Amino acid sequence: MKVSGDWLTRAETQDVLALLAAPGHRALPVGGCVRNALIGAPVADVDIATDALPETVIGLARAAGLKAVPTGIAHGTVTVVAGGLPFEITTFRRDVETFGRHAAIAFSTRIEEDAARRDFTMNALYACADGTVIDPLGGLPDALARRLRFVGSAPDRIREDYLRILRFFRFTAWYGDPAEGPDAEGLAACAALADGIDGLSRERIGAEMKKLLSAPDPAPAIAAMAATGVLAHVLPGADARALPVLVHLEGDLPPRWLRRLAVLGGEGTAAALRLSRAEASDLEAIRTGIGDTQSAAALGWRQGIDRAVAVILARAALSGMPPPDDWQAEVLRGAAARFPVRAADLPDLSGPALGARLKELEARWLAAGLRLTKAQLLA
Ligand code: ATP
Ligand code: MG
């Protein structure tokens, strides 16, 4: 079996692989790029696995005039930049059991060991420079069948890193076969070990949830998270029921994780996912909009297109009432509208009186569908 694609054949990728291969090292694209090329999904970035030690990778790259940054040296990862493209190059590793709980790592020269410490069989696939797939664990049929299975025993792998529970739902949403649903053994292990999520950093949880909610249709995976009790550990008080309706109403709109997050509800979401200040205020504005009755046009004017779309669709998903027929045109009309009266149009007023009058005119303008002209408002 061979994979192909611009991500593999372009000069930057081939140059970086040759850099390591020339002195006799193995250098193999691994993980997401191979998986996605196999199933026909777009390849975002190329991760490379090698038997060369990190200092060797840095030395070879710099000798060739390439930038090499030790981005995750503790895990054996060096980022090499070629032609402006970053490649994460990670030395083969094996898990070393320390005190029976956390897996420490050691470098390895064996690809089988490197594959065995990865999370899912479809992520433990490698490719040669010519595209030939190397499949140490039998992950190839799983990838082609869109079957997400843990490498080895699911409970053992989860106990090593509880983030793998969330990765299980993320990859199920993106690459699982929707007709088959999540792998039963993996699902049972996630349900049994859901408590372990409480010990994860909020940053790691937030990063996974954003990726999960950005999937074309995250609703079945989120429903499975709710059914297994995982969702309650991630977002206390969340309710997954409106999400499939929202995704349906979205139609061809580009997926937005924040819009999906807004219909899940729950308390303390911004802290639970360590959202940035801008993300938290976006979420807050959308939730406030869901609870009020502003028109699509008024929302477009006040909140901009993205938030207005989120509010209109979330309201419909949560209430079960379809959005108004012309809501898209109305949002766009509102976003493009300008309130026609300026302070200079009210020369007799100043200070708080001026502010109050402008507010009153603005309310009248909004109530009349953002259609009144300056002359009508001042009359
Ligand atoms: P994408 O980048 O498209 O989200 P990916 O498969 O490249 O998907 P990454 O999170 O970038 O996912 O990880 C790269 C590879 O590293 C994975 O394919 C997997 O083999 C391994 N990996 C990453 N995180 C873990 C983890 N927590 N446990 C085990 N293996 C992991
Ligand atoms: Mg990746």
mmCIF file of all heavy atoms in Angstrom, residues 7-8 12-21 25-34 45-52 57 75-80 82 85-92 114 117-118 125-127 129:
data_model
loop_
_atom_site.group_PDB
_atom_site.id
_atom_site.type_symbol
_atom_site.label_atom_id
_atom_site.label_comp_id
_atom_site.label_asym_id
_atom_site.label_seq_id
_atom_site.Cartn_x
_atom_site.Cartn_y
_atom_site.Cartn_z
ATOM 1 N N TRP A 7 1.825 16.863 0.037
ATOM 2 C CA TRP A 7 2.498 16.947 1.339
ATOM 3 C C TRP A 7 3.742 16.063 1.369
ATOM 4 O O TRP A 7 4.711 16.379 2.058
ATOM 5 C CB TRP A 7 1.534 16.520 2.461
ATOM 6 C CG TRP A 7 1.081 15.075 2.349
ATOM 7 C CD1 TRP A 7 0.024 14.610 1.616
ATOM 8 C CD2 TRP A 7 1.700 13.932 2.937
ATOM 9 N NE1 TRP A 7 -0.068 13.246 1.725
ATOM 10 C CE2 TRP A 7 0.947 12.802 2.534
ATOM 11 C CE3 TRP A 7 2.796 13.742 3.781
ATOM 12 C CZ2 TRP A 7 1.266 11.498 2.937
ATOM 13 C CZ3 TRP A 7 3.111 12.459 4.181
ATOM 14 C CH2 TRP A 7 2.351 11.343 3.756
ATOM 15 N N LEU A 8 3.734 14.951 0.588
ATOM 16 C CA LEU A 8 4.856 14.011 0.593
ATOM 17 C C LEU A 8 5.847 14.308 -0.527
ATOM 18 O O LEU A 8 7.066 14.256 -0.317
ATOM 19 C CB LEU A 8 4.321 12.579 0.443
ATOM 20 C CG LEU A 8 5.373 11.473 0.410
ATOM 21 C CD1 LEU A 8 6.133 11.414 1.736
ATOM 22 C CD2 LEU A 8 4.721 10.111 0.130
ATOM 23 N N GLU A 12 10.215 20.362 -0.063
ATOM 24 C CA GLU A 12 10.547 20.589 1.349
ATOM 25 C C GLU A 12 10.519 19.283 2.130
ATOM 26 O O GLU A 12 11.434 18.980 2.909
ATOM 27 C CB GLU A 12 9.557 21.584 1.982
ATOM 28 C CG GLU A 12 9.669 23.008 1.444
ATOM 29 C CD GLU A 12 8.835 23.239 0.197
ATOM 30 O OE1 GLU A 12 8.344 22.247 -0.417
ATOM 31 O OE2 GLU A 12 8.678 24.411 -0.195
ATOM 32 N N THR A 13 9.448 18.488 1.934
ATOM 33 C CA THR A 13 9.330 17.219 2.653
ATOM 34 C C THR A 13 10.449 16.264 2.250
ATOM 35 O O THR A 13 11.124 15.670 3.107
ATOM 36 C CB THR A 13 7.964 16.554 2.360
ATOM 37 O OG1 THR A 13 6.927 17.499 2.601
ATOM 38 C CG2 THR A 13 7.756 15.323 3.228
ATOM 39 N N GLN A 14 10.664 16.132 0.938
ATOM 40 C CA GLN A 14 11.693 15.206 0.451
ATOM 41 C C GLN A 14 13.080 15.632 0.936
ATOM 42 O O GLN A 14 13.903 14.785 1.310
ATOM 43 C CB GLN A 14 11.641 15.125 -1.084
ATOM 44 C CG GLN A 14 10.391 14.413 -1.619
ATOM 45 C CD GLN A 14 10.349 12.922 -1.256
ATOM 46 O OE1 GLN A 14 11.370 12.239 -1.270
ATOM 47 N NE2 GLN A 14 9.173 12.419 -0.892
ATOM 48 N N ASP A 15 13.335 16.936 0.976
ATOM 49 C CA ASP A 15 14.636 17.434 1.444
ATOM 50 C C ASP A 15 14.866 17.078 2.913
ATOM 51 O O ASP A 15 15.955 16.660 3.307
ATOM 52 C CB ASP A 15 14.723 18.961 1.279
ATOM 53 C CG ASP A 15 14.872 19.353 -0.187
ATOM 54 O OD1 ASP A 15 15.054 18.442 -1.027
ATOM 55 O OD2 ASP A 15 14.788 20.565 -0.487
ATOM 56 N N VAL A 16 13.822 17.274 3.734
ATOM 57 C CA VAL A 16 13.978 16.993 5.166
ATOM 58 C C VAL A 16 14.192 15.491 5.391
ATOM 59 O O VAL A 16 15.029 15.076 6.199
ATOM 60 C CB VAL A 16 12.761 17.520 5.959
ATOM 61 C CG1 VAL A 16 12.780 17.018 7.386
ATOM 62 C CG2 VAL A 16 12.744 19.044 5.939
ATOM 63 N N LEU A 17 13.447 14.665 4.655
ATOM 64 C CA LEU A 17 13.622 13.208 4.790
ATOM 65 C C LEU A 17 15.028 12.800 4.344
ATOM 66 O O LEU A 17 15.695 11.991 5.006
ATOM 67 C CB LEU A 17 12.562 12.465 3.971
ATOM 68 C CG LEU A 17 11.098 12.667 4.420
ATOM 69 C CD1 LEU A 17 10.146 11.968 3.453
ATOM 70 C CD2 LEU A 17 10.879 12.148 5.846
ATOM 71 N N ALA A 18 15.512 13.399 3.228
ATOM 72 C CA ALA A 18 16.826 13.042 2.690
ATOM 73 C C ALA A 18 17.955 13.471 3.628
ATOM 74 O O ALA A 18 18.978 12.785 3.748
ATOM 75 C CB ALA A 18 17.015 13.688 1.318
ATOM 76 N N LEU A 19 17.719 14.585 4.306
ATOM 77 C CA LEU A 19 18.688 15.101 5.268
ATOM 78 C C LEU A 19 19.074 14.029 6.296
ATOM 79 O O LEU A 19 20.240 13.873 6.665
ATOM 80 C CB LEU A 19 18.015 16.281 5.969
ATOM 81 C CG LEU A 19 18.761 17.118 6.962
ATOM 82 C CD1 LEU A 19 19.628 18.075 6.179
ATOM 83 C CD2 LEU A 19 17.755 17.920 7.800
ATOM 84 N N LEU A 20 18.057 13.302 6.758
ATOM 85 C CA LEU A 20 18.295 12.264 7.775
ATOM 86 C C LEU A 20 18.696 10.940 7.138
ATOM 87 O O LEU A 20 19.495 10.186 7.690
ATOM 88 C CB LEU A 20 17.018 12.074 8.614
ATOM 89 C CG LEU A 20 16.626 13.294 9.451
ATOM 90 C CD1 LEU A 20 15.157 13.251 9.830
ATOM 91 C CD2 LEU A 20 17.485 13.365 10.705
ATOM 92 N N ALA A 21 18.126 10.659 5.974
ATOM 93 C CA ALA A 21 18.385 9.370 5.328
ATOM 94 C C ALA A 21 19.816 9.287 4.790
ATOM 95 O O ALA A 21 20.433 8.214 4.807
ATOM 96 C CB ALA A 21 17.382 9.142 4.197
ATOM 97 N N HIS A 25 20.095 7.245 8.564
ATOM 98 C CA HIS A 25 19.005 7.166 9.537
ATOM 99 C C HIS A 25 17.681 6.861 8.851
ATOM 100 O O HIS A 25 17.524 7.083 7.665
ATOM 101 C CB HIS A 25 18.888 8.479 10.308
ATOM 102 C CG HIS A 25 20.053 8.745 11.195
ATOM 103 N ND1 HIS A 25 20.313 7.985 12.320
ATOM 104 C CD2 HIS A 25 21.055 9.653 11.105
ATOM 105 C CE1 HIS A 25 21.414 8.433 12.890
ATOM 106 N NE2 HIS A 25 21.900 9.438 12.172
ATOM 107 N N ARG A 26 16.734 6.362 9.649
ATOM 108 C CA ARG A 26 15.376 6.218 9.134
ATOM 109 C C ARG A 26 14.645 7.531 9.377
ATOM 110 O O ARG A 26 14.818 8.157 10.425
ATOM 111 C CB ARG A 26 14.632 5.088 9.850
ATOM 112 C CG ARG A 26 15.299 3.739 9.698
ATOM 113 C CD ARG A 26 14.410 2.643 10.253
ATOM 114 N NE ARG A 26 13.419 2.213 9.256
ATOM 115 C CZ ARG A 26 12.525 1.261 9.484
ATOM 116 N NH1 ARG A 26 12.438 0.681 10.670
ATOM 117 N NH2 ARG A 26 11.692 0.898 8.528
ATOM 118 N N ALA A 27 13.831 7.941 8.419
ATOM 119 C CA ALA A 27 13.031 9.171 8.563
ATOM 120 C C ALA A 27 11.695 8.907 7.891
ATOM 121 O O ALA A 27 11.633 8.725 6.677
ATOM 122 C CB ALA A 27 13.741 10.359 7.918
ATOM 123 N N LEU A 28 10.640 8.841 8.696
ATOM 124 C CA LEU A 28 9.344 8.383 8.191
ATOM 125 C C LEU A 28 8.220 9.329 8.599
ATOM 126 O O LEU A 28 8.006 9.544 9.792
ATOM 127 C CB LEU A 28 9.039 6.989 8.764
ATOM 128 C CG LEU A 28 10.116 5.917 8.583
ATOM 129 C CD1 LEU A 28 9.868 4.758 9.541
ATOM 130 C CD2 LEU A 28 10.135 5.439 7.147
ATOM 131 N N PRO A 29 7.495 9.892 7.644
ATOM 132 C CA PRO A 29 6.257 10.590 8.002
ATOM 133 C C PRO A 29 5.371 9.641 8.814
ATOM 134 O O PRO A 29 5.319 8.437 8.520
ATOM 135 C CB PRO A 29 5.631 10.925 6.649
ATOM 136 C CG PRO A 29 6.800 11.026 5.715
ATOM 137 C CD PRO A 29 7.762 9.970 6.191
ATOM 138 N N VAL A 30 4.702 10.175 9.825
ATOM 139 C CA VAL A 30 3.966 9.320 10.759
ATOM 140 C C VAL A 30 2.687 10.003 11.225
ATOM 141 O O VAL A 30 2.589 11.221 11.219
ATOM 142 C CB VAL A 30 4.852 8.978 11.994
ATOM 143 C CG1 VAL A 30 5.229 10.239 12.769
ATOM 144 C CG2 VAL A 30 4.171 7.962 12.921
ATOM 145 N N GLY A 31 1.723 9.180 11.643
ATOM 146 C CA GLY A 31 0.534 9.703 12.322
ATOM 147 C C GLY A 31 -0.470 10.322 11.364
ATOM 148 O O GLY A 31 -0.788 9.762 10.310
ATOM 149 N N GLY A 32 -0.921 11.535 11.715
ATOM 150 C CA GLY A 32 -2.031 12.164 11.010
ATOM 151 C C GLY A 32 -1.850 12.274 9.499
ATOM 152 O O GLY A 32 -2.807 12.066 8.754
ATOM 153 N N CYS A 33 -0.628 12.580 9.029
ATOM 154 C CA CYS A 33 -0.454 12.762 7.579
ATOM 155 C C CYS A 33 -0.687 11.448 6.834
ATOM 156 O O CYS A 33 -1.354 11.422 5.789
ATOM 157 C CB CYS A 33 0.913 13.360 7.254
ATOM 158 S SG CYS A 33 2.335 12.455 7.876
ATOM 159 N N VAL A 34 -0.164 10.345 7.378
ATOM 160 C CA VAL A 34 -0.333 9.048 6.708
ATOM 161 C C VAL A 34 -1.797 8.605 6.800
ATOM 162 O O VAL A 34 -2.407 8.188 5.807
ATOM 163 C CB VAL A 34 0.597 7.981 7.341
ATOM 164 C CG1 VAL A 34 0.481 6.665 6.589
ATOM 165 C CG2 VAL A 34 2.037 8.475 7.368
ATOM 166 N N ASP A 45 -0.338 18.959 8.623
ATOM 167 C CA ASP A 45 1.095 19.066 8.851
ATOM 168 C C ASP A 45 1.742 17.690 8.838
ATOM 169 O O ASP A 45 1.082 16.670 9.011
ATOM 170 C CB ASP A 45 1.412 19.818 10.142
ATOM 171 C CG ASP A 45 0.525 19.387 11.277
ATOM 172 O OD1 ASP A 45 0.181 18.183 11.323
ATOM 173 O OD2 ASP A 45 0.165 20.230 12.112
ATOM 174 N N VAL A 46 3.050 17.710 8.567
ATOM 175 C CA VAL A 46 3.779 16.457 8.410
ATOM 176 C C VAL A 46 4.666 16.240 9.628
ATOM 177 O O VAL A 46 5.619 16.978 9.860
ATOM 178 C CB VAL A 46 4.636 16.497 7.123
ATOM 179 C CG1 VAL A 46 5.396 15.186 6.956
ATOM 180 C CG2 VAL A 46 3.755 16.763 5.915
ATOM 181 N N ASP A 47 4.323 15.238 10.436
ATOM 182 C CA ASP A 47 5.171 14.834 11.555
ATOM 183 C C ASP A 47 6.075 13.709 11.062
ATOM 184 O O ASP A 47 5.657 12.864 10.271
ATOM 185 C CB ASP A 47 4.312 14.340 12.734
ATOM 186 C CG ASP A 47 3.391 15.431 13.263
ATOM 187 O OD1 ASP A 47 3.827 16.592 13.320
ATOM 188 O OD2 ASP A 47 2.231 15.128 13.599
ATOM 189 N N ILE A 48 7.326 13.724 11.540
ATOM 190 C CA ILE A 48 8.306 12.737 11.081
ATOM 191 C C ILE A 48 8.873 11.994 12.280
ATOM 192 O O ILE A 48 9.172 12.604 13.312
ATOM 193 C CB ILE A 48 9.432 13.445 10.283
ATOM 194 C CG1 ILE A 48 8.847 14.044 8.996
ATOM 195 C CG2 ILE A 48 10.584 12.493 9.982
ATOM 196 C CD1 ILE A 48 9.805 14.941 8.236
ATOM 197 N N ALA A 49 8.971 10.666 12.157
ATOM 198 C CA ALA A 49 9.607 9.851 13.192
ATOM 199 C C ALA A 49 10.970 9.405 12.676
ATOM 200 O O ALA A 49 11.131 9.108 11.492
ATOM 201 C CB ALA A 49 8.741 8.633 13.513
ATOM 202 N N THR A 50 11.949 9.349 13.579
ATOM 203 C CA THR A 50 13.295 8.976 13.150
ATOM 204 C C THR A 50 14.019 8.191 14.238
ATOM 205 O O THR A 50 13.667 8.312 15.412
ATOM 206 C CB THR A 50 14.133 10.242 12.810
ATOM 207 O OG1 THR A 50 15.416 9.838 12.338
ATOM 208 C CG2 THR A 50 14.325 11.134 14.029
ATOM 209 N N ASP A 51 15.012 7.408 13.814
ATOM 210 C CA ASP A 51 15.842 6.732 14.823
ATOM 211 C C ASP A 51 17.051 7.593 15.200
ATOM 212 O O ASP A 51 17.840 7.206 16.064
ATOM 213 C CB ASP A 51 16.276 5.345 14.334
ATOM 214 C CG ASP A 51 17.052 5.393 13.022
ATOM 215 O OD1 ASP A 51 17.302 6.512 12.510
ATOM 216 O OD2 ASP A 51 17.396 4.318 12.496
ATOM 217 N N ALA A 52 17.196 8.757 14.561
ATOM 218 C CA ALA A 52 18.303 9.658 14.935
ATOM 219 C C ALA A 52 17.958 10.360 16.247
ATOM 220 O O ALA A 52 16.806 10.704 16.492
ATOM 221 C CB ALA A 52 18.504 10.699 13.832
ATOM 222 N N VAL A 57 19.573 15.259 14.893
ATOM 223 C CA VAL A 57 18.634 15.944 14.003
ATOM 224 C C VAL A 57 18.995 17.426 13.921
ATOM 225 O O VAL A 57 19.088 18.008 12.821
ATOM 226 C CB VAL A 57 17.177 15.776 14.505
ATOM 227 C CG1 VAL A 57 16.216 16.599 13.636
ATOM 228 C CG2 VAL A 57 16.775 14.307 14.508
ATOM 229 N N HIS A 75 10.556 15.372 25.039
ATOM 230 C CA HIS A 75 9.882 14.254 24.359
ATOM 231 C C HIS A 75 10.617 13.846 23.104
ATOM 232 O O HIS A 75 10.136 13.031 22.334
ATOM 233 C CB HIS A 75 8.455 14.631 23.962
ATOM 234 C CG HIS A 75 7.721 15.388 25.001
ATOM 235 N ND1 HIS A 75 7.467 16.738 24.907
ATOM 236 C CD2 HIS A 75 7.206 14.991 26.181
ATOM 237 C CE1 HIS A 75 6.820 17.129 25.982
ATOM 238 N NE2 HIS A 75 6.646 16.106 26.786
ATOM 239 N N GLY A 76 11.770 14.473 22.863
ATOM 240 C CA GLY A 76 12.545 14.103 21.682
ATOM 241 C C GLY A 76 12.095 14.786 20.410
ATOM 242 O O GLY A 76 12.367 14.303 19.317
ATOM 243 N N THR A 77 11.396 15.935 20.529
ATOM 244 C CA THR A 77 10.878 16.603 19.332
ATOM 245 C C THR A 77 11.696 17.840 18.959
ATOM 246 O O THR A 77 11.952 18.702 19.798
ATOM 247 C CB THR A 77 9.403 17.025 19.533
ATOM 248 O OG1 THR A 77 8.642 15.867 19.841
ATOM 249 C CG2 THR A 77 8.845 17.672 18.271
ATOM 250 N N VAL A 78 12.100 17.889 17.705
ATOM 251 C CA VAL A 78 12.808 19.032 17.145
ATOM 252 C C VAL A 78 11.979 19.525 15.962
ATOM 253 O O VAL A 78 11.516 18.718 15.151
ATOM 254 C CB VAL A 78 14.210 18.611 16.641
ATOM 255 C CG1 VAL A 78 14.900 19.762 15.916
ATOM 256 C CG2 VAL A 78 15.068 18.096 17.788
ATOM 257 N N THR A 79 11.747 20.832 15.871
ATOM 258 C CA THR A 79 11.039 21.373 14.707
ATOM 259 C C THR A 79 12.068 21.909 13.721
ATOM 260 O O THR A 79 12.859 22.781 14.065
ATOM 261 C CB THR A 79 10.057 22.481 15.117
ATOM 262 O OG1 THR A 79 9.108 21.926 16.030
ATOM 263 C CG2 THR A 79 9.316 23.025 13.902
ATOM 264 N N VAL A 80 12.050 21.354 12.519
ATOM 265 C CA VAL A 80 12.950 21.804 11.464
ATOM 266 C C VAL A 80 12.114 22.563 10.445
ATOM 267 O O VAL A 80 11.049 22.088 10.026
ATOM 268 C CB VAL A 80 13.672 20.611 10.802
ATOM 269 C CG1 VAL A 80 14.451 21.059 9.564
ATOM 270 C CG2 VAL A 80 14.612 19.942 11.806
ATOM 271 N N ALA A 82 11.780 24.092 6.759
ATOM 272 C CA ALA A 82 12.342 24.022 5.399
ATOM 273 C C ALA A 82 11.403 24.769 4.463
ATOM 274 O O ALA A 82 10.205 24.463 4.421
ATOM 275 C CB ALA A 82 12.488 22.569 4.952
ATOM 276 N N LEU A 85 8.159 25.852 5.816
ATOM 277 C CA LEU A 85 7.251 24.854 6.383
ATOM 278 C C LEU A 85 7.890 24.183 7.608
ATOM 279 O O LEU A 85 9.021 23.711 7.537
ATOM 280 C CB LEU A 85 6.940 23.759 5.357
ATOM 281 C CG LEU A 85 6.191 24.176 4.095
ATOM 282 C CD1 LEU A 85 6.078 22.994 3.143
ATOM 283 C CD2 LEU A 85 4.805 24.693 4.461
ATOM 284 N N PRO A 86 7.157 24.118 8.738
ATOM 285 C CA PRO A 86 7.700 23.451 9.911
ATOM 286 C C PRO A 86 7.444 21.940 9.881
ATOM 287 O O PRO A 86 6.351 21.492 9.537
ATOM 288 C CB PRO A 86 6.920 24.090 11.067
ATOM 289 C CG PRO A 86 5.638 24.549 10.467
ATOM 290 C CD PRO A 86 5.846 24.744 8.988
ATOM 291 N N PHE A 87 8.459 21.167 10.212
ATOM 292 C CA PHE A 87 8.318 19.708 10.341
ATOM 293 C C PHE A 87 8.688 19.326 11.762
ATOM 294 O O PHE A 87 9.785 19.635 12.217
ATOM 295 C CB PHE A 87 9.262 18.986 9.362
ATOM 296 C CG PHE A 87 8.914 19.216 7.919
ATOM 297 C CD1 PHE A 87 9.352 20.350 7.249
ATOM 298 C CD2 PHE A 87 8.121 18.299 7.226
ATOM 299 C CE1 PHE A 87 9.021 20.586 5.914
ATOM 300 C CE2 PHE A 87 7.785 18.521 5.887
ATOM 301 C CZ PHE A 87 8.239 19.652 5.231
ATOM 302 N N GLU A 88 7.771 18.645 12.471
ATOM 303 C CA GLU A 88 8.087 18.160 13.816
ATOM 304 C C GLU A 88 8.731 16.785 13.688
ATOM 305 O O GLU A 88 8.098 15.837 13.223
ATOM 306 C CB GLU A 88 6.820 18.068 14.669
ATOM 307 C CG GLU A 88 6.350 19.414 15.141
ATOM 308 C CD GLU A 88 5.460 19.320 16.388
ATOM 309 O OE1 GLU A 88 5.079 18.197 16.784
ATOM 310 O OE2 GLU A 88 5.150 20.383 16.947
ATOM 311 N N ILE A 89 10.002 16.717 14.075
ATOM 312 C CA ILE A 89 10.745 15.465 13.944
ATOM 313 C C ILE A 89 10.965 14.887 15.337
ATOM 314 O O ILE A 89 11.588 15.528 16.189
ATOM 315 C CB ILE A 89 12.094 15.714 13.240
ATOM 316 C CG1 ILE A 89 11.842 16.408 11.888
ATOM 317 C CG2 ILE A 89 12.857 14.404 13.063
ATOM 318 C CD1 ILE A 89 13.107 16.683 11.089
ATOM 319 N N THR A 90 10.425 13.702 15.571
ATOM 320 C CA THR A 90 10.492 13.105 16.908
ATOM 321 C C THR A 90 11.230 11.771 16.848
ATOM 322 O O THR A 90 10.930 10.917 16.012
ATOM 323 C CB THR A 90 9.068 12.898 17.474
ATOM 324 O OG1 THR A 90 8.380 14.149 17.444
ATOM 325 C CG2 THR A 90 9.118 12.379 18.908
ATOM 326 N N THR A 91 12.195 11.640 17.741
ATOM 327 C CA THR A 91 12.973 10.402 17.815
ATOM 328 C C THR A 91 12.084 9.252 18.289
ATOM 329 O O THR A 91 11.234 9.446 19.172
ATOM 330 C CB THR A 91 14.158 10.595 18.782
ATOM 331 O OG1 THR A 91 14.904 11.745 18.331
ATOM 332 C CG2 THR A 91 15.063 9.375 18.812
ATOM 333 N N PHE A 92 12.259 8.058 17.683
ATOM 334 C CA PHE A 92 11.519 6.858 18.122
ATOM 335 C C PHE A 92 11.589 6.778 19.651
ATOM 336 O O PHE A 92 12.645 7.003 20.244
ATOM 337 C CB PHE A 92 12.171 5.576 17.580
ATOM 338 C CG PHE A 92 11.957 5.331 16.109
ATOM 339 C CD1 PHE A 92 12.782 4.418 15.449
ATOM 340 C CD2 PHE A 92 10.952 5.956 15.387
ATOM 341 C CE1 PHE A 92 12.603 4.151 14.099
ATOM 342 C CE2 PHE A 92 10.772 5.695 14.028
ATOM 343 C CZ PHE A 92 11.606 4.795 13.388
ATOM 344 N N ASP A 114 8.157 2.322 18.998
ATOM 345 C CA ASP A 114 7.579 3.651 18.794
ATOM 346 C C ASP A 114 6.083 3.549 18.493
ATOM 347 O O ASP A 114 5.270 4.315 19.032
ATOM 348 C CB ASP A 114 8.292 4.374 17.646
ATOM 349 C CG ASP A 114 7.853 5.823 17.529
ATOM 350 O OD1 ASP A 114 8.241 6.629 18.390
ATOM 351 O OD2 ASP A 114 7.099 6.137 16.587
ATOM 352 N N ARG A 117 3.763 2.836 21.610
ATOM 353 C CA ARG A 117 3.448 3.858 22.616
ATOM 354 C C ARG A 117 2.474 4.901 22.082
ATOM 355 O O ARG A 117 2.114 5.844 22.790
ATOM 356 C CB ARG A 117 4.723 4.505 23.156
ATOM 357 C CG ARG A 117 5.569 5.258 22.134
ATOM 358 C CD ARG A 117 5.262 6.714 22.100
ATOM 359 N NE ARG A 117 5.874 7.377 20.940
ATOM 360 C CZ ARG A 117 5.489 8.560 20.505
ATOM 361 N NH1 ARG A 117 4.491 9.187 21.067
ATOM 362 N NH2 ARG A 117 6.080 9.098 19.465
ATOM 363 N N ARG A 118 2.018 4.760 20.860
ATOM 364 C CA ARG A 118 1.047 5.708 20.293
ATOM 365 C C ARG A 118 -0.373 5.353 20.742
ATOM 366 O O ARG A 118 -0.602 4.285 21.282
ATOM 367 C CB ARG A 118 1.180 5.759 18.768
ATOM 368 C CG ARG A 118 2.510 6.386 18.378
ATOM 369 C CD ARG A 118 2.744 6.473 16.893
ATOM 370 N NE ARG A 118 4.094 7.001 16.670
ATOM 371 C CZ ARG A 118 4.366 8.299 16.535
ATOM 372 N NH1 ARG A 118 3.404 9.196 16.546
ATOM 373 N NH2 ARG A 118 5.610 8.690 16.370
ATOM 374 N N LEU A 125 0.759 4.657 12.001
ATOM 375 C CA LEU A 125 1.133 4.308 10.639
ATOM 376 C C LEU A 125 2.249 5.232 10.171
ATOM 377 O O LEU A 125 2.248 6.425 10.476
ATOM 378 C CB LEU A 125 -0.080 4.466 9.708
ATOM 379 C CG LEU A 125 -1.226 3.496 9.979
ATOM 380 C CD1 LEU A 125 -2.467 3.909 9.200
ATOM 381 C CD2 LEU A 125 -0.806 2.084 9.609
ATOM 382 N N TYR A 126 3.199 4.660 9.432
ATOM 383 C CA TYR A 126 4.374 5.401 8.949
ATOM 384 C C TYR A 126 4.423 5.269 7.435
ATOM 385 O O TYR A 126 3.829 4.352 6.858
ATOM 386 C CB TYR A 126 5.657 4.794 9.534
ATOM 387 C CG TYR A 126 5.664 4.705 11.048
ATOM 388 C CD1 TYR A 126 4.867 3.772 11.716
ATOM 389 C CD2 TYR A 126 6.478 5.542 11.804
ATOM 390 C CE1 TYR A 126 4.872 3.690 13.097
ATOM 391 C CE2 TYR A 126 6.502 5.456 13.194
ATOM 392 C CZ TYR A 126 5.689 4.528 13.842
ATOM 393 O OH TYR A 126 5.702 4.445 15.200
ATOM 394 N N ALA A 127 5.164 6.175 6.791
ATOM 395 C CA ALA A 127 5.360 6.067 5.341
ATOM 396 C C ALA A 127 6.826 6.290 5.009
ATOM 397 O O ALA A 127 7.507 7.076 5.673
ATOM 398 C CB ALA A 127 4.500 7.087 4.599
ATOM 399 N N ALA A 129 9.762 7.528 2.142
ATOM 400 C CA ALA A 129 9.817 8.721 1.292
ATOM 401 C C ALA A 129 9.073 8.504 -0.027
ATOM 402 O O ALA A 129 8.566 9.444 -0.630
ATOM 403 C CB ALA A 129 11.268 9.111 1.023
#
